[in-house]
C-alpha cells in the first residue's frame, strides 16, 4: 500500500503519533530547517510555527501539498494565492479557541464595568476600598458585534445571559442585525463595540478616527480580532483625549508591543498580550482530535473541515 507522506510539527506528536491510520507515513519536524527539508515530500502538512515568515517559507517549499492543516484561525501570513494556484485544500483552527476567547471578552467587559483593575491595585497596596471604582452593569447595555463566526456566535450567546442587547453585523439582514453598509451610522448607539472579524484587506483599518469619533464617550472598544483591524494611532489619540472611555485589546500592532509604545501608558487601555486563545489547556487536544477526524474523511474522499475559502481569506 502506498502511504501518504504527512509532515507534522513535533509539538503535536504526543497527541497523534499512536493514533494515526496505517495509510499515513508521518514525518515530524522540530525546527524550520527540518521542516524545509521534509516539506517537498509532503502531501499533507501541518506546518504551524510561531514565526509566520518561516511558516510561509515552508508552505512555499511544499510543492506536492494537497492539504494544509493549521491550528490557527487566522490565515493571514500564509501565501494564499500560491495555495489557491496549486489547488491545495486548507483547514484552519476556526472555533478551536472560540470558547476561551468568548469568555475573555466577557471578562474584559466585567473588568472595565466594575473597575476591577483598581480593586487589584488596592489589594496590592493593602488598601480597603470603601466604594467600588466601577459602577456599570452589563444588564441592559448595548453591544455591537462585528464578526459572526464561531467566536462571535459564542460571544453573543454569553452576553445574552447577562441581558446585554447584542446587535450583530453580517451580510444577511435579520432581527438585531446591521449590514456592512449600516453599522457606521449607528455606532453612537452602543456601549460596547466588539471586533471579532477575520483579518482581510476588507477589514484592514475598519476602525479609524471617524469611527472612534462616532462612538459614545462612555463606550469601550474590544478587539480580539487582529491589531490591523484598528488604526492604532487614531485609537491612542481617542483614548488619550477620552473621546472613548476605554479599550480592551487582546491584539496590537505590532506584537509584541514595544515597551516604549504609548498604548502601555494609557490607563484606559487594557492590553492582554494576545493571551485570550491561550487561556485554556485544550487547544492542542481539540486540534489533534479534529485533525484525526479529518484524516478519516480525507481517506474516504469526503470534505475536510473547517475549510478556508482562499479567495476570501477565512
Amino acid at each position: 500500500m502506498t502511504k501518504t507522506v504527512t509532515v507534522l510539527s513535533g509539538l503535536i506528536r504526543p497527541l497523534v503519533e499512536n493514533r494515526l491510520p496505517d495509510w499515513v507515513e508521518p514525518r515530524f519536524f522540530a525546527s524550520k530547517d527540518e521542516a524545509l527539508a521534509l516539506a517537498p515530500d509532503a502531501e499533507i502538512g501541518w506546518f504551524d510555527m510561531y514565526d509566520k515568515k518561516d511558516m510561509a517559507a515552508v508552505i512555499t517549499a511544499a510543492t506536492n501539498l494537497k492539504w494544509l492543516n493549521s491550528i490557527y484561525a487566522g490565515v493571514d501570513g500564509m501565501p494564499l494565492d500560491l495555495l489557491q494556484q496549486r489547488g491545495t485544500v486548507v483547514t484552519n483552527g476556526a472555533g478551536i479557541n472560540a470558547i476561551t476567547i468568548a469568555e475573555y471578552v466577557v471578562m474584559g467587559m466585567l473588568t472595565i464595568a466594575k473597575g476591577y483593575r483598581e480593586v487589584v491595585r488596592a489589594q496590592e497596596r493593602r488598601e480597603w476600598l470603601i466604594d467600588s471604582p466601577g459602577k456599570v452593569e452589563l444588564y441592559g447595555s448595548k453591544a455591537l458585534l462585528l464578526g459572526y463566526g464561531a467566536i462571535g456566535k459564542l460571544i453573543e450567546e454569553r452576553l445574552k445571559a447577562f441581558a446585554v442587547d447584542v446587535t450583530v453585523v453580517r451580510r444577511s439582514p435579520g432581527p438585531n442585525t446591521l449590514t456592512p453598509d449600516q453599522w457606521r451610522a449607528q455606532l453612537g448607539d452602543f456601549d460596547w463595540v466588539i471586533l471579532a472579524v477575520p483579518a482581510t484587506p476588507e477589514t484592514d483599518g475598519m476602525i479609524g478616527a471617524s469611527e472612534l469619533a462616532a462612538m459614545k464617550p462612555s463606550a469601550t472598544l474590544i478587539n480580539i480580532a487582529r491589531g490591523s483591524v484598528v488604526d492604532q494611532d487614531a485609537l491612542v489619540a481617542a483614548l488619550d483625549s477620552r473621546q472613548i472611555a476605554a479599550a480592551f485589546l487582546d491584539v496590537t500592532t505590532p506584537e509584541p508591543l514595544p515597551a516604549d509604545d504609548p498604548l502601555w501608558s494609557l490607563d484606559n487601555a487594557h492590553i492582554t498580550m494576545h493571551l485570550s486563545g491561550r487561556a485554556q489547556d485544550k487547544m492542542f487536544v481539540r486540534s489533534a482530535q479534529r485533525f484525526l477526524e479529518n484524516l478519516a474523511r480525507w481517506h474516504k474522499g469526503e470534505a475536510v473541515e473547517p475549510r478556508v475559502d482562499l479567495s476570501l481569506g477565512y
Side-chain angles (χ1 to χ4, degrees):
M1 182 177 78
T2 315
K3 295 200 172 196
T4 302
V5 174
T6 303
V7 175
L8 306 148
S9 164
L11 289 174
I12 209 76
R13 187 171 193 162
L15 294 171
V16 299
E17 190 168 28
N18 297 329
R19 300 165 69 196
L20 290 168
D22 57 6
W23 56 269
V24 167
E25 183 185 319
R27 298 181 188 174
F28 296 96
F29 64 86
S31 66
K32 179 194 172 184
D33 289 344
E34 283 180 20
L36 281 170
L38 294 170
D41 293 329
E43 274 186 61
I44 298 172
W46 190 345
F47 299 135
D48 288 344
M49 297 178 181
Y50 186 70
D51 189 312
K52 287 184 178 174
K53 287 192 183 70
D54 288 353
M55 192 167 149
V58 174
I59 292 168
T60 304
T63 46
N64 289 307
L65 199 64
K66 307 276 189 299
W67 166 28
L68 173 67
N69 180 63
S70 176
I71 200 169
Y72 300 124
V75 293
D76 48 312
M78 292 186 193
L80 300 183
D81 290 348
L82 180 67
L83 288 163
Q84 193 170 15
Q85 196 184 314
R86 288 176 177 170
T88 307
V89 170
V90 180
T91 50
N92 68 346
I96 292 285
N97 299 336
I99 292 168
T100 186
I101 294 174
E103 289 178 354
Y104 227 78
V105 168
V106 177
M107 178 189 76
M109 290 169 74
L110 287 168
T111 299
I112 288 165
K114 306 304 179 191
Y116 184 64
R117 190 155 69 170
E118 294 310 314
V119 178
V120 173
R121 287 171 176 169
Q123 181 183 341
E124 286 172 350
R125 295 192 301 268
R126 303 185 183 199
E127 176 190 341
W128 187 274
L129 298 178
I130 304 301
D131 200 4
S132 171
K135 295 177 183 290
V136 173
E137 291 180 338
L138 296 196
Y139 179 88
S141 65
K142 292 185 164 190
L144 180 67
L145 178 58
L146 291 118
Y148 200 54
I151 295 167
K153 289 184 175 76
L154 291 185
I155 292 170
E156 180 189 40
E157 198 179 282
R158 279 144 187 75
L159 292 184
K160 281 187 170 170
F162 285 88
V164 175
D165 179 358
V166 181
T167 299
V168 172
V169 176
R170 59 193 299 198
R171 285 189 170 83
S172 44
N176 280 63
T177 298
L178 294 172
T179 54
D181 59 347
Q182 292 174 328
W183 63 271
R184 284 182 169 85
Q186 309 287 326
L187 271 171
D189 297 347
F190 299 98
D191 304 293
W192 313 94
V193 176
I194 304 166
L195 306 174
V197 292
T200 66
E202 193 185 358
T203 61
D204 197 31
M206 71 191 295
I207 301 292
S210 56
E211 287 79 13
L212 293 161
M215 286 169 64
K216 274 185 183 180
S218 57
T220 292
L221 179 73
I222 297 172
N223 189 7
I224 47 97
R226 283 286 187 269
S228 59
V229 171
V230 176
D231 176 341
Q232 199 160 287
D233 292 339
L235 178 61
V236 167
L239 289 169
D240 195 34
S241 63
R242 305 275 164 177
Q243 192 175 40
I244 65 169
F248 183 83
L249 307 169
D250 194 47
V251 287
T252 59
T253 307
E255 292 182 12
L257 194 64
D260 60 354
D261 194 283
L263 258 185
W264 288 113
S265 59
L266 295 169
D267 209 44
N268 51 353
H270 296 243
I271 300 162
T272 58
M273 307 108 188
H274 212 144
L275 297 176
S276 66
R278 295 183 174 91
Q280 58 160 324
D281 57 7
K282 297 182 178 69
M283 178 164 66
F284 284 103
V285 174
R286 285 176 178 148
S287 297
Q289 186 57 38
R290 183 187 277 183
F291 179 66
L292 292 165
E293 287 165 8
N294 269 332
L295 277 174
R297 289 193 192 99
W298 183 261
H299 196 52
K300 289 183 209 154
E302 295 170 7
V304 287
E305 54 193 38
R307 186 166 171 177
V308 175
D309 182 327
L310 295 171
S311 55
L312 291 176
Y314 60 89

